[in-house]
Amino acid sequence: MTQDDAQKWKKTAVKLIAGAIVGGGVSAAALGIAGTSLLDAMGPSRVALAAVGLVYAMMAMLVGFGLAMPRAGAQLLNVGDADELREERAGMMTSVITTGTMGLVLLLLAVARAPGFEAGLVSAHAAMTALVVAVAGGIVASWAWRNRYDELNRQLGLEGCFWAFCLSWVLLSLWAAADFLGFGLALTAIDVVTTLSAMMLLGSFIAIGRRGMMSR
């Protein structure tokens, strides 16, 4: 590893630590607001879904902070400098909207009232409406923004979806098989939503990492 590579990885490590600290603070605040009684009523599956939603929401907040304050954001986000952040503003704002919306919808689904979970904070109709609107909006936005992206970003999106699909297929197939074969690993509908959302995020990181774009 050259000295330049070492400096890049050191910079990336600092950003990851800073992100982890911010994420830990937000998570602790969210847990405090929710309260132990609500978390106990939610159960592991809903808590896992809420955690994934928080990750998406925190990503949106971090990128949004970077766009609002480019100099400080360049030290936190995976960009070369503040000028690059300003140049990529349009595309990154799209990411803020997308990840923020997804995070909000997942959080609403996690705390929505449903059979067996009457302590929910929002109605099932509200959560389902938010999901349908987000999906419809995503389809319309994807079509409207189809020409905004260059070949690299388009390829990254395709690769991220490929990895997300493969990882989801492997995990859900093994999990579902273990469930119906009687190995005690129950798979519920909410677990499917959580897995697909989490693997979409992980697939994006894999696609970016494979191209050496995690350290800059």
Side-chain angles (χ1 to χ4, degrees):
M1 180 182 293
T2 65
Q3 185 176 359
D4 185 54
D5 290 335
Q7 290 177 346
K8 287 182 178 180
W9 281 109
K10 182 179 179 180
K11 184 179 180 181
T12 300
V14 171
K15 292 178 180 180
L16 290 174
I17 293 172
I21 293 173
V22 173
V26 173
S27 299
L31 291 174
I33 294 173
T36 56
S37 59
L38 178 61
L39 292 175
D40 290 341
M42 288 173 66
S45 292
R46 287 180 177 273
V47 170
L49 179 60
V52 174
L54 273 176
V55 172
Y56 276 97
M58 285 188 292
M59 287 176 58
M61 287 188 292
L62 287 173
V63 177
F65 167 79
L67 293 177
M69 304 182 66
R71 288 186 180 276
Q75 302 301 316
L76 183 62
L77 302 176
N78 190 36
V79 294
D81 51 31
D83 289 335
E84 182 179 348
L85 195 57
R86 294 187 185 97
E87 292 173 2
E88 298 292 334
R89 177 180 292 274
M92 296 184 77
M93 182 56 70
T94 300
S95 298
V96 170
I97 296 172
T98 303
T99 55
T101 300
M102 191 165 183
L104 177 60
V105 170
L106 294 179
L107 287 170
L108 287 175
L109 290 174
V111 300
R113 289 187 292 274
F117 181 59
E118 303 302 331
L121 302 180
V122 298
S123 68
H125 288 91
M128 193 64 196
T129 299
L131 176 60
V132 172
V133 170
V135 171
I139 294 173
V140 172
S142 296
W143 177 258
W145 296 340
R146 66 189 185 282
N147 295 323
R148 282 192 181 186
Y149 304 103
D150 56 25
E151 186 61 31
L152 174 60
N153 284 319
R154 190 175 290 110
Q155 189 63 33
L156 284 173
L158 292 174
E159 290 180 12
C161 288
F162 167 78
W163 282 104
F165 169 77
C166 291
L167 292 170
S168 297
W169 183 86
V170 171
L171 182 57
L172 290 175
S173 295
L174 290 173
W175 197 348
D179 184 8
F180 73 72
L181 291 175
F183 288 99
L185 300 175
L187 176 64
T188 64
I190 196 170
D191 295 323
V192 174
V193 176
T194 302
T195 300
L196 292 173
S197 301
M199 292 305 104
M200 181 63 74
L201 190 61
L202 181 57
S204 299
F205 278 107
I206 292 176
I208 293 171
R210 281 172 55 85
R211 290 179 175 265
M213 299 173 65
M214 291 292 289
S215 59
R216 300 178 65 179

